[in-house]
Amino acid sequence: MDLTAFLVAILFSACLQAVDGLLVPANKFIDLALPSYDYIVVGGGVSGLVVANRLTENKNVTVLVLEAGDLDSGPDLVTIPGLVGHGFVPSQNWNITTTPQESLDNRTRDYGQGHVVGGGSILNGLVMTRGARYDYDAWRTLGNPGWSWHGMLRYFKKSENFTACVAPEDSQNLHIRPHMKVHGQKGPLQVGYPKFFYNSSRNFLEGISELGIPLLPDINTGIAAGASIAPATINDRNQSRADSRRAYLDSVLSRPNLHLATQQTVTRVLFGTEAVDEDSKRPAKGLKRAFGVERMACDREVILAAGAIISPSLLQVSGIGPASVLDELGVPVHIDLPGVGQNLQDHAMVGAFYNYTRSGMFTANNLTGSILEEVESQYFANRTGPLTHPLISTLAFASLRHLDTNWETLLSNITSSEPESHLPPGPGQHPTILKGYARQQHLLTSLLARSSVGALEVMADSIGTLTAAVQHPLSRGFVRALSADLLANGSVARNILLDPRYCSHPFDCDIIVRGLKLNNQLVKTKAMQQLVPQPAYPWDDLTSQNDTALLEAVHSKLQTEFHPAGSTSMLPLEFGGVVSPRLMVYGTSNLRVIDAGIIPLLPAAHIQAAVYAIAEKAADIIKQDSSTMSGSSPNDGDVTPPPNPFTNGPPGLGPGIAEGPGVAGRVNDDHGRPYQS
């Protein structure tokens, strides 16, 4: 193995206190850091901490994690489930803003992203859903052997410590019956249920059932079209948030081979002037800090785990990305990789409010004054009561068939226009991007035709908000750096252009409109009428089901579920891919991306479960590749190394993938057989 040294340089912005030798104080970094590390991980969020934990299980491997944010102090706003949705701690948010959304109302959207050790797991809504098995089988069909549902399930299980501790009455009334064979009970991440449920949850589930949408006793078995009480990342013992820091970092603070440096902003990956290995792959030489002085040597790999917005931006300012973008930035082109920053996907949502006005009904709105004081006392005394309940636990994933009897016509509209009409100008029109998007369109048509795949999510809180979110968006946005210096003007957020291009494909807003119609049907069911729902503006004027008025409301009210993905897609080069199924950036021999950016197609789910599993799988891949380079071959058969695209041409779709006339986009099982709905 060519152990070409990486040189890593970082930004020191403040002095930190050391904790058990793990945190390296910024003003003493050179004195206290090791002379070199085997692996350097950029980003201390979910994926970065998972990989750092797993790699340092080998005491002979050293890892340095560089995180731009700081450690959180565990404030109630973060740790208490019942306070989720009450805002972010300002210092823990990158405070990114989108561009004006031209297909909506030309307004920007705030886009919260974790700027803290633990990343998005410190800010998210705790919901733990995986999606349908077909969502992941689609990843494999796109050219990623080993990344099917079967290949991911072991890592879903490996990450979680699932506790099915629910009162018998709640289990009966709310149909909570987890299938323990698909859950892990020895993983680091606590997953379970709150000790309290609002009564409206039962009304929602019974109302959904009246509409013909099935109730799922466990939403994480791979069959995900239906309604359920979703598990959450909650510590069953103390009913507090379970996040990646507490699951994967705090428990290994004593490891001398794991170092974490906070408030460290990496601004560039450094490369040599020419490829040096036998496969003509360019080795990274290191990471540059803002002032370009202190550097750290890394003996094996640099691993990007900075998220679907920061990671592609970092690649671009480092000379990896669309040549036209790099030229505009004045950055030398090391690897012309058109897909970097493209294929950005997100779950767009609209919250409609139907105030529950039944006399004597208890909701989260009651948590004020003396009642809040009583509830707080209950929570801190015995960890029970309303504060154990997160903002959202009751939800439904509706298939396209649930939304419209003319669902086949809706599907035919997906591919009725050319791909270039739905993609952004510039790099988005590159032939490989167009080819990859066309492939995704056909595959999404196949997925959405299934009764077991969700097209829309409806999330219900206790006070009457019914939020409709598109789950398999056709719109594609992009991320690009605005300056070769990500810290120009003192803020990374100001130097990144984020354009999700919400509803640039009209199918997405069309699905949300149908979701709002579903809401109107839902609140008229016998079960929901018991809550005496009163629609608020503008939903009070939409009882006529006027599509034009609904669409206008969608355009003005649309927000994000904060699930960015796809901007460093795991796809073949011929489809605009950025990383291989081994998560290696094409054209490099030692630079990987392991965060949500590698997701080629968003699953119909809240994506934290997928990100934990991706990172667990990434850790095994890295270990396998390291052992293989050392002469052994521990590959468990779950991931097949692809052919080298720079010597053998772009990788194909791999074994077991149906190809040829009439079967484009078909999803097969792990033996090449088509699944049946």
Side-chain angles (χ1 to χ4, degrees):
M1 178 180 181
D2 180 10
L3 296 181
T4 302
F6 292 101
L7 299 179
V8 178
I10 53 180
L11 169 65
F12 300 109
S13 58
C15 182
L16 303 173
Q17 292 183 346
V19 178
D20 293 338
L22 177 73
L23 281 182
V24 181
N27 63 337
K28 297 183 179 180
F29 186 88
I30 297 176
D31 296 330
L32 298 183
L34 299 177
S36 67
Y37 293 86
D38 292 312
Y39 299 95
I40 296 185
V41 180
V42 181
V46 169
S47 55
L49 295 183
V50 171
V51 164
N53 176 303
R54 295 306 188 185
L55 292 180
T56 54
E57 289 174 339
N58 182 343
K59 64 181 180 180
N60 296 317
V61 168
T62 56
V63 174
L64 172 65
V65 179
L66 302 174
E67 165 56 40
D70 209 338
L71 290 168
D72 79 281
S73 59
D76 291 348
L77 185 63
V78 169
T79 62
I80 298 178
L83 298 183
V84 169
H86 288 234
F88 301 142
V89 177
S91 64
Q92 297 176 359
N93 185 358
W94 275 105
N95 297 307
I96 295 171
T97 302
T98 72
T99 62
Q101 292 302 284
E102 296 180 359
S103 297
L104 300 179
D105 54 4
N106 283 309
R107 292 189 297 111
T108 62
R109 266 69 178 171
D110 292 334
Y111 211 100
Q113 292 287 279
H115 181 253
V116 61
V117 176
S121 69
I122 302 292
L123 278 62
N124 67 26
L126 309 182
V127 181
M128 197 68 166
T129 57
R130 298 170 178 172
R133 66 178 301 156
Y134 300 109
D135 291 336
Y136 298 96
D137 290 347
W139 294 8
R140 184 199 51 205
T141 301
L142 283 168
N144 298 300
W147 287 88
S148 64
W149 170 263
H150 173 74
M152 287 287 284
L153 180 58
R154 60 179 295 189
Y155 294 106
F156 286 131
K157 296 171 68 174
K158 184 176 182 179
S159 67
E160 71 177 5
N161 186 338
F162 187 86
T163 304
C165 186
V166 181
E169 181 180 359
D170 290 331
S171 177
Q172 177 68 28
N173 293 336
L174 301 176
H175 305 273
I176 303 173
R177 293 185 296 276
H179 184 52
M180 297 305 293
K181 288 186 178 180
V182 300
H183 292 286
Q185 296 175 278
K186 297 180 180 179
L189 183 67
Q190 297 283 335
V191 179
Y193 297 93
K195 300 298 184 185
F196 176 90
F197 296 95
Y198 289 96
N199 291 335
S200 58
S201 292
R202 182 175 182 178
N203 296 85
F204 176 88
L205 294 176
E206 292 179 355
I208 280 286
S209 183
E210 288 183 49
L211 297 179
I213 296 175
L215 300 183
L216 302 177
D218 187 340
I219 203 167
N220 286 327
T221 64
I223 299 173
S228 183
I229 300 295
T233 46
I234 291 178
N235 186 310
D236 183 69
R237 181 181 57 82
N238 63 18
Q239 289 291 291
S240 65
R241 175 190 291 271
D243 56 65
S244 60
R245 174 195 162 183
R246 288 156 184 85
Y248 283 88
L249 180 64
D250 288 357
S251 61
V252 296
L253 287 175
S254 61
R255 288 181 185 170
N257 57 335
L258 172 59
H259 284 181
L260 168 71
T262 59
Q263 298 186 16
Q264 316 301 325
T265 302
V266 175
T267 59
R268 190 168 300 174
V269 181
L270 303 178
F271 292 89
T273 57
E274 60 184 38
V276 298
D277 73 357
E278 66 275 13
D279 292 328
S280 298
K281 294 181 180 179
R282 187 180 298 276
K285 291 290 186 180
L287 304 176
K288 185 179 185 299
R289 83 176 181 109
F291 308 119
V293 181
E294 295 87 358
R295 295 182 175 187
M296 290 296 301
C298 180
D299 298 324
R300 297 188 185 182
E301 296 184 8
V302 168
I303 300 168
L304 299 187
I309 298 173
I310 305 294
S311 285
S313 303
L314 183 57
L315 286 174
Q316 290 170 1
V317 300
S318 304
I320 301 179
S324 60
V325 170
L326 307 188
D327 289 342
E328 290 179 19
L329 292 171
V331 173
V333 179
H334 292 302
I335 303 172
D336 181 9
L337 205 52
V340 176
Q342 300 298 315
N343 201 39
L344 178 69
Q345 303 159 53
D346 191 17
H347 291 141
M349 69 178 188
V350 172
F353 188 56
Y354 303 84
N355 187 30
Y356 299 151
T357 62
R358 188 181 73 190
S359 177
M361 182 178 178
F362 185 82
T363 73
N365 280 343
N366 295 105
L367 300 181
T368 60
S370 60
I371 294 179
L372 177 58
E373 292 177 1
E374 181 181 347
V375 165
E376 287 176 338
S377 297
Q378 182 182 12
Y379 178 80
F380 289 113
N382 54 33
R383 300 292 168 155
T384 59
L387 286 184
T388 70
H389 191 277
L391 178 66
I392 299 294
S393 69
T394 312
L395 45 76
F397 290 94
S399 72
L400 198 60
R401 301 180 189 215
H402 294 137
L403 297 178
D404 199 311
T405 55
N406 295 319
W407 59 271
E408 291 173 301
T409 301
L410 280 176
L411 285 180
S412 67
N413 292 336
I414 290 179
T415 55
S416 62
S417 55
E418 294 300 317
E420 52 263 32
S421 65
H422 300 298
L423 294 177
Q429 297 295 315
H430 190 276
T432 62
I433 305 297
L434 294 174
K435 186 176 181 180
Y437 181 66
R439 181 69 164 143
Q440 292 175 51
Q441 281 186 314
H442 285 287
L443 188 51
L444 285 169
T445 302
S446 175
L447 282 172
L448 289 166
R450 296 185 177 278
S451 60
S452 57
V453 172
L456 175 97
E457 180 185 23
V458 178
M459 296 173 282
D461 64 15
S462 69
I463 64 175
T465 309
L466 298 175
T467 299
V470 61
Q471 292 302 289
H472 283 108
L474 271 295
S475 300
R476 293 294 182 268
F478 64 94
V479 179
R480 62 158 295 179
L482 293 174
S483 170
D485 179 5
L486 286 180
L487 281 172
N489 302 314
S491 171
V492 171
R494 296 173 187 169
N495 293 297
I496 294 177
L497 187 152
L498 171 64
D499 188 358
R501 300 181 73 248
Y502 293 123
C503 293
S504 54
H505 195 301
F507 175 84
D508 297 349
C509 273
D510 198 12
I511 290 296
I512 294 176
V513 164
R514 281 167 170 73
L516 295 171
K517 289 183 176 182
L518 181 70
N519 284 350
N520 286 343
Q521 296 175 39
L522 176 61
V523 297
K524 294 175 183 177
T525 61
K526 180 179 179 180
M528 290 294 284
Q529 279 292 299
Q530 296 175 13
L531 305 179
V532 194
Q534 298 295 323
Y537 179 83
W539 319 113
D540 55 341
D541 295 328
L542 301 178
T543 54
S544 64
Q545 306 292 299
N546 182 285
D547 281 9
T548 302
L550 278 170
L551 187 59
E552 183 178 346
V554 167
H555 286 172
S556 64
K557 301 293 184 181
L558 187 144
Q559 297 293 330
T560 172
E561 280 200 275
F562 304 105
H563 297 163
S567 54
T568 52
S569 283
M570 179 176 59
L571 288 169
L573 274 173
E574 63 177 316
F575 291 158
V578 176
V579 302
S580 72
R582 308 295 292 179
L583 306 182
M584 193 74 73
V585 176
Y586 288 123
T588 73
S589 59
N590 43 25
L591 176 63
R592 299 189 204 252
V593 184
I594 62 167
D595 54 44
I598 68 100
I599 294 174
L601 274 180
L602 268 175
H606 294 247
I607 65 171
Q608 71 161 329
V611 174
Y612 276 108
I614 287 168
E616 287 279 14
K617 190 176 180 73
D620 274 1
I621 289 172
I622 294 167
K623 290 178 180 180
Q624 290 167 7
D625 287 355
S626 177
S627 296
T628 300
M629 292 297 183
S630 301
S632 60
S633 183
N635 195 308
D636 60 3
D638 195 37
V639 181
T640 302
N644 179 2
F646 289 89
T647 57
N648 302 323
L653 291 182
I657 306 301
E659 287 286 71
V663 294
R666 182 189 299 174
V667 179
N668 297 337
D669 66 15
D670 288 312
H671 303 286
R673 299 184 295 261
Y675 279 124
Q676 302 297 319
S677 295

